[in-house]
Amino acid sequence: MTDIDRKDAALGLILELVVLLSRDMAERFARDGLTDSRVHLIWELAHRGPSTQRALADALQVSARNITGLVDALVATGFVTREPHPTDRRATLVSFTKKGAAVAESLQREQKEFAQLLFGQMPTAQFDCFVDAMSAIVERIRKEMEK
Amino acid sequence: MTDIDRKDAALGLILELVVLLSRDMAERFARDGLTDSRVHLIWELAHRGPSTQRALADALQVSARNITGLVDALVATGFVTREPHPTDRRATLVSFTKKGAAVAESLQREQKEFAQLLFGQMPTAQFDCFVDAMSAIVERIRKEMEK
DNA sequence: TATTGTTATACTCTATAACTATA
DNA sequence: TATAGTTATAGAGTATAACAATA
């Protein structure tokens, strides 16, 4: 096996991980009646607190129209509410309902549990090395995308 | 920073990588007028050779209907053709056009280049450790999903 | 004038169900 | 009877463009 093949295989592992993780998360989200995109919005909302749709569109890097649709769906299914913005009458503030806040919390808790599942039994040295390598990779992709 | 937080952060790195890679690949594919799903089909076709739609549906784990749509689109844009199956008159064989074969080849070549970009300057010890850790993680997710 | 969010329209991916042709 | 693929229908995510209300 050449050096190039070994690196190609390593990238293959990463791509496989992407596929597996995406599937696993989608299944998990479906249990709450949620999709990837809606969870992404919920995640952002949990980290930013009540936000205008404009802020969410910028954070998720999607169109304003798209946010309208996602918020419509999340309002209809009881995860968030639209409230008038206190000072800007053009804008709306998206906030969690009780149900939405509870789901956001359990998503965060389950992410920690999942991290424990993945890394809990990994030797410290391997974990440290993995984190360093991963950081380097993320860094390199970031630079590549700036071009 | 607690141990749990460090593991959570490491999972965060993985999830960030998923987002970055997905975006980077989508941009790359758009240059050829392709989408993720269509590239996925092309990739499978490159590895299996001319295939029935049924075989592609099983490989991609999507519905037969979905394959009809993807093949329609790839035929319309000149990447693949539908040929009659030599022995089963119900089935069609999907094969590359010249354009499709060329794109498949350049995708494979570029994947190797990308692997080189990610790992080319990484010290051998770190690369080896990364591959081991990654294998362990993929293995663990696989087991988790079987439940 | 610029910005926020909506309506109008359209494309892609995805699914299930009913159906045709063939095995 | 079972299988390969299509038509019919539907829902989700995404985008651009035109528009209303407000800043």
Side-chain angles (χ1 to χ4, degrees):
Chain A
M1 201 181 202
T2 72
D3 191 58
I4 287 183
D5 286 338
R6 292 186 64 227
K7 285 171 180 146
D8 195 35
L11 177 53
L13 266 180
I14 293 181
L15 296 176
E16 187 177 357
L17 180 67
V18 170
V19 171
L20 287 176
L21 264 186
S22 304
R23 242 175 233 163
D24 187 59
M25 291 194 299
E27 279 178 24
R28 163 65 189 82
F29 299 158
R31 293 209 301 274
D32 281 323
L34 288 167
T35 62
D36 287 1
S37 299
R38 293 176 196 180
V39 168
H40 196 172
L41 193 155
I42 285 175
W43 198 255
E44 212 45 56
L45 197 57
H47 284 69
R48 311 169 66 91
S51 308
T52 63
Q53 296 190 185
R54 179 71 259 161
L56 292 171
D58 291 340
L60 305 192
Q61 296 185 256
V62 298
S63 67
R65 178 61 186 91
N66 197 348
I67 294 294
T68 297
L70 293 174
V71 172
D72 283 351
L74 288 168
V75 168
T77 47
F79 292 94
V80 306
T81 56
R82 281 190 174 98
E83 316 269 2
H85 191 285
T87 63
D88 185 339
R89 286 190 356 205
R90 294 169 305 179
T92 62
L93 269 186
V94 181
S95 313
F96 281 127
T97 59
K98 264 192 189 174
K99 175 183 174 183
V103 163
E105 267 175 50
S106 73
L107 286 172
Q108 293 190 61
R109 182 171 36 72
E110 283 170 38
Q111 172 158 332
K112 283 204 169 75
E113 287 167 10
F114 191 59
Q116 197 59 36
L117 174 80
L118 289 189
F119 302 117
Q121 290 166 279
M122 189 175 282
T124 306
Q126 192 178 32
F127 177 78
D128 291 343
C129 157
F130 173 78
V131 169
D132 286 347
M134 206 63 176
S135 303
I137 289 169
V138 168
E139 207 41 54
R140 207 164 305 243
I141 295 181
R142 272 241 191 71
K143 260 188 209 151
E144 179 65 14
M145 290 188 71
E146 274 170 20
K147 284 183 196 168
Chain B
M1 200 183 202
T2 71
D3 190 59
I4 287 184
D5 285 338
R6 291 186 64 228
K7 286 171 180 148
D8 195 35
L11 177 53
L13 267 180
I14 293 181
L15 296 175
E16 187 177 358
L17 180 67
V18 169
V19 171
L20 287 177
L21 264 186
S22 304
R23 242 175 233 162
D24 187 58
M25 291 194 299
E27 278 177 24
R28 163 65 189 84
F29 299 158
R31 292 209 302 273
D32 281 322
L34 288 168
T35 62
D36 287 1
S37 299
R38 292 174 196 182
V39 168
H40 196 172
L41 194 156
I42 284 176
W43 197 255
E44 213 44 54
L45 197 57
H47 284 69
R48 311 168 67 90
S51 308
T52 63
Q53 297 190 185
R54 179 71 260 162
L56 293 171
D58 291 341
L60 306 191
Q61 296 186 256
V62 298
S63 67
R65 178 60 186 91
N66 197 348
I67 295 294
T68 297
L70 293 174
V71 172
D72 282 352
L74 288 168
V75 168
T77 47
F79 291 94
V80 306
T81 56
R82 281 190 173 98
E83 315 271 1
H85 190 286
T87 63
D88 185 340
R89 289 193 351 210
R90 293 169 306 178
T92 63
L93 270 186
V94 181
S95 312
F96 281 127
T97 59
K98 264 191 188 173
K99 175 182 175 185
V103 163
E105 266 175 50
S106 73
L107 287 173
Q108 293 190 62
R109 183 172 35 72
E110 282 169 40
Q111 173 159 330
K112 283 204 169 76
E113 287 167 10
F114 191 59
Q116 198 59 35
L117 173 81
L118 290 189
F119 301 117
Q121 290 164 280
M122 190 176 282
T124 306
Q126 191 178 33
F127 176 78
D128 291 342
C129 158
F130 173 78
V131 169
D132 286 348
M134 207 62 177
S135 304
I137 289 169
V138 167
E139 206 43 53
R140 208 165 302 246
I141 295 181
R142 274 241 190 72
K143 261 188 206 152
E144 178 66 13
M145 290 188 71
E146 276 171 17
K147 284 183 194 169

